[in-house]
Amino acid sequence: MSSPPQADPAREAPAWLRRATSPLAAALVLAGFWLLLVATAWNQSVTYDETVHAAAGYSYWKYDDYRLNPENGNLPQRIAALPLLSYDFPAPDSPAWRLPEEWTVGDLWFNRMGHDVAGMLHRGRAVAALQAVALAALVWGCARRLFGETGGMVALLLCVLNPTILANGSLMTSDSAAALFFLAATWAWWNLLHGLTPGRLLASALATAGLFVAKSSAILIVPIALVLVLARLIDGRPLVFRFGAPRELTGRKRQLAAFAAAAAVQALVVYVTIWGCYGFRYAMFAPGQPSVQGSTPLWSDILGRKSLPEMVTALGLPEPVLQRAQKVLNDRNAPLFGWDEISDGALQELKARVLDPTQTRQLDALIAAGGPQTAMERTIVFLRKHELFPEAYVFGSLHAWRFAQMRSAFFNGEFSSFGAASFFPYTFAVKTPLAMFGVLALAAAAAIAGWRRPRSEEHTSELQSLAYLVCRLLLE
């Protein structure tokens, strides 16, 4: 990868600006950022899911057992629990542990055992905030490499003053870790495409591996990497290849083969890392740990009979009919998973008021069959049958995928189980600080002006830079 263009001596920045954008200044900003995160979280009560994340991480360290909350990333939960390992934990033979009931275990640990909850939060959040600091440092490093020292400091300040980062950066959840490793993996791939060297390949493999044990949505790095590779191949410049004697690879076929080999190495590192985080053991429940029936009930719940909302969604109804059906389900508060008396009542109302006879017969057939099995579920069943990944990792991925399809949500005064297409544009418009829109407008103007200038050999390809920035926007 080419270095940032050298400053013109005639236009060299003043001394005060060089000091304000130096690595020392960035280090001071990062230190202040960590102190700010810790200070703002000091007197805040525990949030909804922090107890579950931390309790799960504790059980991973202490018991080598992965029954609690496997859907939210093994690595960030281990990090959240690290400063809390000295606290006593609910007895592993309790009913909540046997079933398992992760929310009950988390509540018992934090609120029912006489622990200093404030102390637990202070310790856990101080460590969790380091992940947000690492994210900000990476933002600074990437921007500095692309846009020089001033660009790096501007990007760093925008990051550490971002309300979303400030609100979530110190929480004992997987959010900061996911953001960190998504950016790290994307940047590492982008860097690798500028020069294939052992060091860059190792960095990319480790960043991608970290992502896959940080969040179930890690698979999104695959299309992002494909976009970057496509942009690199279109660009057509020779690829520096430094395995053994340095040489250049010319021709898109040779470069594509090199990138495919790099991806295979990364896949192997990811695979080994996933198994390592689960103790190189398939079973979710540790041998000898008490349970009711092991993991069987968990799989039965998630792969068993589909709920009425899931079956209605699978019918492929016309949009107006689907919206009326979803209103009935929302008004009735039909359970998203499982089946109960509310489901029976909602079913009768759907047949009487929404569905025509053909649609009713199709729904009856789905109910008789227990619901459709999706391609994702068939894949999970295959992975489980052949034990290709740790059981907890497979189960957690399926759990996260199912909840991504539908879940209880509130938006603009309305409850829904199916989400709203306008949610992300709306929240981006109303939650983004006004100053940020001004920064985005200035960035767009600068990009257009830069695009019109003749391309220089010293500059990174505009096409690749555009692809990288588009991928970052998609991640946000």
Side-chain angles (χ1 to χ4, degrees), residues 5 19 39 59 64 73 108 147 157 228 246 251 257 269 276 306 312 324 328 353 370 385 395 435 446:
R19 288 194 295 269
S59 67
D64 193 26
L108 287 173
F147 307 114
L157 293 175
L228 294 175
V269 174
K306 299 295 187 298
V312 168
R324 294 200 302 273
V328 170
R353 296 180 48 195
K385 177 181 178 181
F395 179 85

Side-chain angles (χ1 to χ4, degrees), residues 3-22:
S3 302
Q6 298 298 315
D8 185 347
R11 301 177 60 188
E12 187 174 352
W16 67 266
L17 181 59
R18 293 199 302 273
R19 288 194 295 269
T21 58
S22 67

Side-chain angles (χ1 to χ4, degrees), residues 231-250:
R232 180 65 175 83
L233 293 175
I234 292 174
D235 184 71
R237 289 179 300 160
L239 172 67
V240 177
F241 187 84
R242 293 198 181 105
F243 284 78
R247 62 185 187 278
E248 290 186 340
L249 295 181
T250 57

Side-chain angles (χ1 to χ4, degrees), residues 177-411:
L180 168 63
F181 282 106
F182 259 120
L183 176 58
T186 304
W187 174 258
W189 254 107
W190 187 86
N191 203 22
L192 186 67
L193 297 178
H194 287 71
L196 198 50
T197 68
R200 292 180 179 181
L201 178 57
L202 177 62
S204 184
L206 293 177
T208 305
L211 175 60
F212 272 83
V213 291
K215 198 72 173 178
S216 295
S217 56
I219 193 66
L220 292 176
I221 193 63
V222 175
I224 290 171
L226 289 176
V227 169
L228 294 175
V229 170
L230 179 62
R232 180 65 175 83
L233 293 175
I234 292 174
D235 184 71
R237 289 179 300 160
L239 172 67
V240 177
F241 187 84
R242 293 198 181 105
F243 284 78
R247 62 185 187 278
E248 290 186 340
L249 295 181
T250 57
R252 293 187 174 91
K253 289 184 177 180
R254 296 180 65 191
Q255 292 180 3
L256 180 59
F259 296 146
V265 171
Q266 292 193 39
L268 178 61
V269 174
V270 168
Y271 191 66
V272 173
T273 301
I274 291 173
W275 276 103
C277 282
Y278 292 89
F280 293 98
R281 189 188 73 235
Y282 170 76
M284 186 187 314
F285 287 43
Q289 281 294 322
S291 66
V292 177
Q293 298 179 44
S295 61
T296 301
L298 301 179
W299 284 107
S300 298
D301 288 343
I302 205 166
L303 290 175
R305 183 187 186 187
K306 299 295 187 298
S307 67
L308 182 58
E310 289 176 294
M311 294 189 186
V312 168
T313 302
L315 281 177
L317 297 172
E319 189 61 29
V321 180
L322 179 61
Q323 290 180 358
R324 294 200 302 273
Q326 290 177 347
K327 187 177 187 308
V328 170
L329 297 171
N330 287 332
D331 292 345
R332 288 268 188 167
N333 198 24
L336 301 183
F337 303 100
W339 197 286
D340 59 14
E341 295 81 1
I342 296 177
S343 304
D344 292 330
L347 175 61
Q348 297 308 315
E349 184 174 352
L350 287 175
K351 291 181 177 180
R353 296 180 48 195
V354 178
L355 304 179
D356 61 30
T358 300
Q359 293 163 348
T360 297
R361 287 193 296 271
Q362 292 173 341
L363 181 56
D364 286 337
L366 275 179
I367 293 173
Q373 189 176 65
T374 64
M376 176 65 172
E377 289 171 328
R378 289 193 293 270
T379 301
I380 291 295
V381 169
F382 177 83
L383 295 176
R384 180 192 179 198
K385 177 181 178 181
H386 297 282
E387 300 186 2
L388 297 179
F389 284 89
E391 182 184 23
Y393 191 82
V394 175
F395 179 85
S397 299
L398 178 58
H399 187 282
W401 177 83
R402 286 195 69 188
F403 269 85
Q405 309 309 303
M406 59 178 66
R407 63 189 304 162
S408 298
F410 177 82
F411 178 55

